[in-house]
Amino acid sequence: MDISTDIRYLKGVGEKRAELFSKLGINSLGDILEYYPRMYEDWSKAKKISETVVGETSCVKGFITHTPTKALIKKGMTIYKTGVCDGEEVMDLTIFNNRFAAEALKEGEEYVFFGKVGGNLYKREMTNPAFSVAEGGERIRPIYSSSQALSTKIIEKTVRTAIDNIKETLNETLPDRIRSEYKLASLIFSLENVHFPQSEKNLEVARRRLIFEELFILQLGLLLLRSRSKKITTNRIEFDKTEEFCSFLPFTMTGAQSRAVREAVEDMKKDVPMNRLVQGDVGSGKTAVAAAIIYNAAKNGFQSALMAPTEILATQHYHTLEKFFENTDINVALLTGSVRKKQKDEIKEKLKNGEIDLLVGTHAIIQDDVEFYNLGLAVTDEQHRFGVAQRGSLSKKGEEPHLLVMSATPIPRTLALMIYGDLDVSILDELPPGRQKIDTFYVDYEKHERAMNYVKKHLDRGLQGYIVCPLVESEESELVSATQIYENFKNNEFKNYTVGLLHGKMKPKEKDEVMKKFADGETQLLIATTVIEVGVDVPNAVIMVIENAEMFGLSQLHQLRGRVGRGKEKSTCILVSDAQNDDAKTRLNVMCKTSDGFKIADEDLKLRGPGDFFGSRQHGLPKMKIANLLNDMKTLKEAQAEAKKVLADDPRLRKKENEFLRKAVINLYEKMKD
Ligand code: ADP
Ligand code: MG
């Protein structure tokens, strides 16, 4: 057996249980070894009964005083009673409805019990505690994320069997040199002790090694992905056409925009492909930057593609870019899932023979049957919503195309460099001139009506607005749902206005229609969920009310707020919340005070903790099993430095000593696919 062995061949598993494991993402022995405990229970330090505290969870060791006596309370309800003696005192033990547990307890034998202590000052008791025979039972126990059908006990047993089966043959992933340099424990020791720690110290040593390994393999993987595209590219820029493009623009680029374009053009003059991230707060003008770079590409004879994560965004980019290129000879086309077959075929034909210079679209553009004439520049917007693998699929449509990534997520710079490896970064830290600060207010529901009147005042002046709600439907929750608010407003409060509804459960086509009506000014007020969070750009929309604002994260509020303040009119954002807890109040007040996305992201990290920030795979990386990208920053740096060193010496991991590193990286790529 080795780590690739299917778990169903493990003793005690079989077909049925294998299926249950599969639901937890566990298919092979390697998977279960990496299914690390969610937490631990320390059964190694049993207390004297007299030392336990009523109400606290404790571990007690003692003899069973007599075979549990059975009493039937009512039909189907059995209760067993016995006592536990630790040599000094006796604790009452009650077991409800569990014949197996009761029968397992033998008079005169010693057990350890783990559970909440009840009773009073004179007499302690435990009800339905977990227990185990004392011999071998006094240890730190792993607790796993379990499912109804797969208890943490079963998982523990399976892990035990897996480790026992693999012990002799398991290959050490990390070369000896690295292990001794960073003082890392062996793989088998670490696996044993992360699942069945012999002591707290051992657990710490085990974790350190596993965290290092996880981050190290991740960095190796990312660096290797990158070096693959460090081949020679033929898509070289010879003529800088930025100035020419700027003459078509209705505005002057900001200093930051010009710098970003210049940096990209410099990259593209070289014969290795560009790999650049343009990071800018909402409204900083990333699309214009992309347009300038795309223009350069087209004028130097190669095609570009721009991929956005949603249909709304792709459509919007298409319209914006078409407008930018209005007076030029650049041909732009849009390809999404809802483009009709006939039109699709036409686009594909033109793309193949080079008549289209820029293809904008959703992931529809990485489908197999989409062929380019000569794709030289691949742009992805809001990268963090795509997996690393999808990024790769787009570049495979061309021969070593340049890569440009646009992101509005204000990840602190050092962290961005860590996550993206040696990706070059341009930061748009300057907003276009004349942009007004968005006035932000935080009010409670008593002032809701006044807020609504304020909205009407704007609509009466021919301006538009948004009302944002956290959920689409709310059966049990008290939160007002978008659909409810919509029905209510349309028929009452705003019956003299045109109101639209936009939420994530609508079909892409319906969403596009709603957005189009709003962009055209046909709809005055748009009730929406967070689907409008990214990229929607309607300059005439100047007021936004966010309902139950406490339900949103700070960065999310900031992204939402960025939908207004896109024109010349003064814009307002009203956060409505009845939240009573201080945390929420602090957050909402931060929003009123600052409009700097990076500052807000920092506050968000402080208030919510990194778990939330990185928990949702926002960055398109595989889910970490044991490491935490923020808390384990020091290890992350070490791992990155070491990964570079290893690859400098052995660029394709072909050396014998790196054989198992190579396998681990391939394994990681497999996981990145799903
Ligand atoms: P982002 O994608 O970074 O949020 P956009 O590219 O959507 O920002 O730009 C926001 C708005 O600002 C758009 O309406 C765009 O036309 C406009 N804009 C971009 N750059 C400038 C500039 N230098 N001067 C004035 N307006 C600009
Ligand atoms: Mg944008």
Side-chain angles (χ1 to χ4, degrees):
M1 285 197 176
D2 65 20
I3 52 171
S4 64
T5 306
D6 193 310
I7 192 156
R8 77 168 60 117
Y9 302 123
L10 205 58
K11 199 163 156 269
V13 179
E15 297 292 328
K16 245 201 177 135
R17 213 166 249 184
E19 236 167 78
L20 298 171
F21 272 112
S22 181
K23 284 198 183 117
L24 296 175
I26 301 168
N27 298 301
S28 66
L29 293 200
D31 291 341
I32 193 154
L33 295 179
E34 279 185 4
Y35 197 74
Y36 302 123
R38 172 170 64 83
M39 55 180 261
Y40 299 87
E41 277 175 6
D42 194 349
W43 291 42
S44 71
K45 296 183 190 101
K47 275 186 177 166
K48 287 267 164 219
I49 292 172
S50 60
E51 286 167 353
T52 58
V53 177
V54 174
E56 271 182 11
T57 298
S58 292
C59 181
V60 166
K61 183 166 78 164
F63 298 94
I64 288 294
T65 53
H66 59 275
T67 303
T69 53
K70 175 173 158 185
L72 202 67
I73 307 179
K74 53 183 172 192
K75 220 175 151 197
M77 185 73 145
T78 332
I79 137 173
Y80 301 87
K81 281 188 173 292
T82 180
V84 177
C85 176
D86 65 2
E88 288 170 12
E89 241 168 293
V90 175
M91 168 179 91
D92 285 340
L93 194 64
T94 307
I95 293 170
F96 276 106
N97 274 350
N98 192 340
R99 184 163 64 92
F100 295 104
E103 285 175 0
L105 291 171
K106 301 275 184 275
E107 181 180 323
E109 294 203 7
E110 200 179 20
Y111 300 85
V112 264
F113 299 87
F114 193 92
K116 196 167 160 181
V117 178
N120 54 42
L121 208 52
Y122 310 104
K123 186 89 187 176
R124 303 286 198 272
E125 61 184 40
M126 273 191 186
T127 303
N128 282 351
F131 64 86
S132 142
V133 283
E135 198 182 322
E138 291 180 85
R139 55 192 179 95
I140 303 174
R141 286 169 181 258
I143 305 292
Y144 298 91
S145 298
S146 49
S147 62
Q148 193 101 54
L150 270 186
S151 70
T152 171
K153 270 247 171 71
I154 297 177
I155 298 174
E156 179 183 336
K157 243 174 96 180
T158 315
V159 172
R160 185 70 263 169
T161 318
I163 292 183
D164 291 344
N165 269 288
I166 220 164
K167 226 181 206 155
E168 305 299 318
T169 52
L170 185 69
N171 295 305
E172 171 60 55
T173 355
L174 297 177
D176 292 348
R177 180 189 61 75
I178 295 179
R179 272 183 47 211
S180 70
E181 190 165 333
Y182 295 93
K183 302 199 172 37
L184 301 168
S186 75
L187 179 56
I188 190 66
F189 173 94
S190 306
L191 287 174
E192 275 268 9
N193 277 281
V194 80
H195 290 289
F196 309 105
Q198 264 145 21
S199 66
E200 279 176 42
K201 179 76 196 148
N202 280 13
L203 173 59
E204 199 187 305
V205 170
R207 279 182 55 86
R208 211 172 76 75
R209 134 100 205 201
L210 295 169
I211 289 170
F212 181 93
E213 174 169 342
E214 184 166 49
L215 295 171
F216 180 58
I217 301 297
L218 174 70
Q219 291 298 331
L220 278 178
L222 291 174
L223 289 170
L224 277 168
L225 269 184
R226 194 133 319 116
S227 67
R228 203 177 296 166
S229 67
K230 278 252 164 87
K231 291 181 194 144
I232 302 297
T233 178
T234 49
N235 309 303
R236 277 182 36 203
I237 285 197
E238 287 181 45
F239 316 103
D240 185 341
K241 296 285 178 182
T242 308
E243 217 170 295
E244 188 176 295
F245 173 74
C246 286
S247 69
F248 295 113
L249 272 182
F251 49 74
T252 316
M253 285 217 194
T254 64
Q257 282 174 313
S258 304
R259 198 180 332 120
V261 175
R262 197 165 54 238
E263 284 168 346
V265 170
E266 284 308 314
D267 287 351
M268 291 161 75
K269 283 182 180 168
K270 297 185 187 137
D271 54 9
V272 287
M274 164 170 79
N275 203 353
R276 184 167 287 278
L277 170 72
V278 174
Q279 208 181 29
D281 209 349
V282 280
S284 57
K286 292 182 289 292
T287 317
V289 169
I293 299 167
I294 290 164
Y295 187 81
N296 270 295
K299 287 293 165 182
N300 282 274
F302 44 94
Q303 293 176 302
S304 302
L306 189 155
M307 183 163 73
T310 66
E311 199 142 346
I312 297 186
L313 264 177
T315 311
Q316 194 172 300
H317 274 311
Y318 170 70
H319 291 305
T320 312
L321 289 161
E322 227 191 2
K323 194 122 198 195
F324 280 146
F325 295 133
E326 198 169 37
N327 300 314
T328 71
D329 51 3
I330 307 292
N331 274 326
V332 192
L334 174 70
L335 190 68
T336 63
S338 50
V339 172
R340 293 235 171 71
K341 168 122 181 29
K342 200 169 152 240
Q343 209 184 340
K344 230 179 228 170
D345 291 341
E346 204 178 306
I347 292 173
K348 280 190 230 159
E349 191 56 41
K350 284 186 174 169
L351 193 67
K352 206 167 149 182
N353 63 32
E355 279 175 70
I356 290 170
D357 302 296
L358 166 64
L359 182 66
V360 181
T362 52
H363 50 261
I365 69 178
I366 53 175
Q367 237 92 84
D368 282 342
D369 57 347
V370 178
E371 288 173 58
F372 287 79
Y373 175 67
N374 63 347
L375 178 68
L377 169 65
V379 187
T380 44
D381 187 19
E382 299 302 340
Q383 174 74 47
H384 60 282
R385 308 214 168 190
F386 292 111
V388 177
Q390 266 171 316
R391 191 196 311 180
S393 314
L394 182 56
S395 52
K396 279 195 206 102
K397 296 275 174 193
E399 275 172 42
E400 305 304 324
H402 300 286
L403 296 185
L404 184 72
V405 175
M406 300 193 280
S407 172
T409 313
I411 305 169
R413 191 186 174 97
T414 47
L415 200 56
L417 292 177
M418 287 297 164
I419 293 173
Y420 294 104
D422 58 357
L423 188 68
D424 299 302
V425 185
S426 299
I427 294 184
L428 301 183
D429 49 6
E430 189 181 347
L431 289 185
R435 203 53 71 65
Q436 311 222 16
K437 185 176 163 288
I438 302 159
D439 282 335
T440 305
F441 304 101
Y442 160 29
V443 301
D444 60 21
Y445 271 90
E446 241 172 59
K447 301 214 178 67
H448 192 258
E449 199 181 324
R450 267 176 68 188
M452 291 303 132
N453 287 333
Y454 195 63
V455 172
K456 282 184 207 161
K457 248 172 47 190
H458 283 80
L459 304 189
D460 289 338
R461 286 173 49 212
L463 297 164
Q464 291 163 283
Y466 299 99
I467 291 181
V468 182
C469 328
L471 295 174
V472 186
E473 271 150 304
S474 54
E475 279 124 283
E476 306 115 279
S477 101
E478 288 170 36
L479 298 170
V480 235
S481 72
T483 318
Q484 277 168 10
I485 292 188
Y486 170 70
E487 290 298 332
N488 186 5
F489 281 3
K490 192 180 62 170
N491 299 318
N492 303 298
E493 189 94 39
F494 290 93
K495 66 168 181 286
N496 299 322
Y497 301 84
T498 49
V499 186
L501 172 67
L502 185 72
H503 62 71
K505 295 206 176 136
M506 292 162 80
K507 296 210 181 76
K509 213 161 158 221
E510 294 174 305
K511 285 192 218 164
D512 282 343
E513 267 162 37
V514 172
M515 269 325 293
K516 187 160 183 332
K517 276 192 183 159
F518 189 66
D520 293 346
E522 248 179 84
T523 309
Q524 293 173 286
L525 184 67
L526 189 62
I527 317 283
T529 58
T530 50
V531 285
I532 60 154
E533 184 185 337
V534 256
V536 172
D537 187 13
V538 181
N540 193 46
V542 297
I543 182 153
M544 172 176 284
V545 176
I546 303 182
E547 305 272 353
N548 293 100
E550 78 280 0
M551 294 293 292
F552 300 92
L554 265 183
S555 295
Q556 204 175 16
L557 286 172
H558 180 66
Q559 293 279 332
L560 286 167
R561 178 171 66 177
R563 300 309 108 213
V564 295
R566 309 203 129 230
K568 285 176 204 72
E569 284 282 337
K570 176 137 209 66
S571 291
T572 312
C573 175
I574 303 175
L575 309 170
V576 196
S577 169
D578 271 341
Q580 294 304 317
N581 76 65
D582 291 340
D583 224 48
K585 288 182 187 171
T586 312
R587 268 192 292 145
L588 298 177
N589 279 319
V590 168
M591 285 302 294
C592 301
K593 276 191 292 226
T594 172
S595 51
D596 179 337
F598 283 88
K599 229 187 238 167
I600 287 175
D602 273 352
E603 289 287 335
D604 212 12
L605 283 180
K606 264 189 242 152
L607 288 166
R608 292 201 300 169
D612 255 19
F613 199 75
F614 287 102
S616 50
R617 295 184 70 171
Q618 284 199 356
H619 37 67
L621 296 176
K623 198 165 166 8
M624 295 288 103
K625 295 236 155 70
I626 192 163
N628 176 310
L629 291 176
L630 266 189
N631 290 351
D632 300 320
M633 188 70 137
K634 191 170 153 261
T635 312
L636 181 59
K637 280 187 184 157
E638 283 174 357
Q640 189 175 42
E642 190 52 47
K644 281 186 181 161
K645 210 154 103 190
V646 168
L647 289 179
D649 172 58
D650 182 12
R652 319 239 38 100
L653 297 181
R654 289 292 180 195
K655 291 196 176 167
K656 185 86 187 98
E657 74 219 50
N658 295 329
E659 180 188 349
F660 297 109
L661 285 180
R662 185 183 155 75
K663 287 195 171 142
V665 171
I666 291 170
N667 200 12
L668 175 77
Y669 287 157
E670 286 302 313
K671 284 185 187 142
M672 280 181 175
K673 280 189 196 145
D674 33 72

